[in-house]
Amino acid sequence: MIDRASVIAVLDTITDPKSGQGLFASGMVKGLIADQGRAGFVLEVSAADAPAYARVRDEAEAKLKAMEGMERVSVVLTAEAVTKPARRTASLSNAAVEQTKPKAPVPTERPAHVKRVLAVASGKGGVGKSTVSVNLAVSLAKQGLSVGILDADVYGPSMPTMLGISGKPDYVDGAIVPLEAHGLKAMSVGVLTQANDAMVWRGPMASQAINQMLTQTRWGTAEQPLDVLVVDLPPGTGDVQLTLIQKTPLDGAVIVSTPQEVALADARRAHTLFEKVGVPTLGLIENMSGDIFGRGGAKAEAERLNVPFLGELPLSASVRAGGDAGLPVVLAEPFGDVAEHFVHIAQKVAEGLGLSA
């Protein structure tokens, strides 16, 4: 029987290279999950210790997989770079000004066997960005494209619920095998943790987790490459956004907003971030458009920013119901009004990415 106690016992047969204790007893194991034939946890180490703990990760995976009744094992190694603090030679005001200056993009390469990478962003939380990401990804897949989706909101992952996926991903030859649902290949930190776990990660840890899911997931193959990887970003313009920009070339960004000015102001900031680093904004989407929140704000903002307006999505109970049930509304009600809007938006996005179904 696979339970927490039996998994801990196996982990403590592995020696922690730093303390000499058993791996679990050393406190290095974070977010341990052990039930129903599966086990998973995260190892958080410094960048300098990463080579030593890569061997520990491999040993842990091998021993856990050898347990009777074990079906899935997931061990994620995150390495935090430790740097010395720079001398404070400038005032805080000067530092703030420096942050507004465009930085040269860091040389990057896209994930293996992925043709296009699309970021779905919003400056403000609560505007329905993840709902849009899921339904947009499914709509692209319905056009005949091969589509993956990465849930990059490591602090509040929602893809497992919205896609109805559960269970831990497999590892094959050192690569994560993404889960599949509704014609999509999907990866989220939410499938590596318990539903009620609080992800208490510092910025570098979150960035490393994103980098691993982005670059170490088997999104496609040489024979069957992925046409587009949709990345659902967390709100704001922080560590995760910068990590994504630095680690892979983005072929475009879609920004989601509700019609109110408070949301549009943050959408403006998101556009500014992408503009500074040379990522094209393919357009704005107005979500929850209608009597309650108003209409037309995102369209007017797109005109001010001189970017395409991709369309408006009405506020609908069916969208919420589909997300809660793990069945996106474009599949639950394929001939409904909302699905029709998503079809048109997906067509514009595919054109903006230079993809033909």
Side-chain angles (χ1 to χ4, degrees), residues 251-288:
D251 298 286
V254 169
I255 300 174
V256 181
S257 178
T258 51
Q260 311 104 299
E261 175 57 30
V262 67
L264 292 168
D266 289 334
R268 204 172 297 134
R269 295 185 184 98
H271 168 68
T272 300
L273 169 67
F274 291 122
E275 188 176 44
K276 285 181 177 180
V277 295
V279 175
T281 296
L282 300 184
L284 266 64
I285 295 174
E286 180 170 291
N287 194 30
M288 305 183 196

Side-chain angles (χ1 to χ4, degrees), residues 9 61 63 125 169 242 304 330 337 353 355:
E61 284 184 349
K63 288 192 172 183
L242 294 174
R304 283 192 290 270
V330 294
D337 183 46
L353 291 173
L355 293 171

Side-chain angles (χ1 to χ4, degrees), residues 3 20 23 38 81 97 130 145 175 189 191 255 283 300 317 357:
D3 57 18
L23 188 59
R38 61 180 187 261
V97 170
S130 294
L145 298 172
V189 74
V191 300
I255 300 174

Side-chain angles (χ1 to χ4, degrees), residues 18 67 97 142 148 163 173 180 194 210-211 227 238 241 259 271 289 294 334 337 343 353:
K18 295 281 285 188
M67 294 178 66
V97 170
K142 289 177 70 175
L163 289 175
D173 297 330
E180 298 193 19
Q194 297 280 16
I210 291 299
N211 186 37
D227 288 315
Q241 287 82 356
H271 168 68
S289 182
D337 183 46
V343 167
L353 291 173

Side-chain angles (χ1 to χ4, degrees), residues 77-147:
L77 175 63
T78 66
E80 178 183 5
V82 179
T83 58
K84 296 181 179 179
R87 289 191 306 167
R88 300 187 64 180
T89 58
S91 66
L92 289 178
S93 61
N94 288 339
V97 170
E98 183 66 23
Q99 284 186 348
T100 66
K101 296 180 181 178
K103 303 296 191 299
V106 176
T108 57
E109 61 181 56
R110 67 183 63 253
H113 310 306
V114 174
K115 295 180 181 179
R116 301 285 190 274
V117 180
L118 172 71
V120 180
S122 70
K124 181 175 175 57
V127 300
K129 172 187 50 57
S130 294
T131 299
V132 171
S133 296
V134 167
N135 283 280
L136 175 59
V138 173
S139 297
L140 289 168
K142 289 177 70 175
Q143 293 185 21
L145 298 172
S146 173
V147 183

